[in-house]
Amino acid sequence: MSLDRTDVERIAHLARLAISEPEIPEYTESLNSILTLIDQMQATPTDGIEPLAHPLDAVQRLRADTITETNQREQLQACAPAVENGLFLVPKVIE
């Protein structure tokens, strides 16, 4: 797939980019080289290759899920201007 001048102008318009006249050939060349690279990558045979979630076979060390702090809701809400059912009440900002 190859892009021409009108394609680049249309892409720039859709992306709301202001591209000057002298820049259009440079953008056309850059976008065409990107599309060529994509075509080369899509042509690579990948049958029998499993997709990777991460390039290294690493395992995330997890810590124990234990409670380390006590519930301080009452203390934290004591200075709040408005509280109801354990929730902070705030003014409505979206109509």
Side-chain angles (χ1 to χ4, degrees):
M1 178 180 185
S2 180
L3 299 176
D4 60 7
R5 178 184 187 87
T6 58
D7 294 328
V8 173
E9 290 172 346
R10 188 168 3 118
I11 291 169
H13 173 73
L14 292 173
R16 305 295 191 256
L17 297 174
I19 298 177
S20 64
E21 286 296 319
E23 293 177 321
I24 292 176
E26 183 181 338
Y27 276 97
T28 304
E29 183 180 335
S30 295
L31 289 172
N32 280 326
S33 67
I34 291 169
L35 292 175
T36 301
L37 176 63
I38 291 171
D39 287 339
Q40 289 173 356
M41 289 171 42
Q42 287 180 339
T44 304
T46 57
D47 297 335
I49 297 176
E50 302 238 356
L52 297 174
H54 194 276
L56 302 176
D57 191 22
V59 177
Q60 181 69 33
R61 292 182 296 153
L62 301 176
R63 62 176 172 81
D65 190 14
T66 58
I67 298 172
T68 58
E69 295 182 13
T70 60
N71 185 358
Q72 300 178 14
R73 180 188 297 176
E74 299 298 326
Q75 295 168 339
L76 296 172
Q77 290 182 342
C79 61
V83 177
E84 183 178 302
N85 297 329
L87 302 174
F88 292 98
L89 298 178
V90 296
K92 184 177 181 179
V93 294
I94 299 176
E95 306 255 350

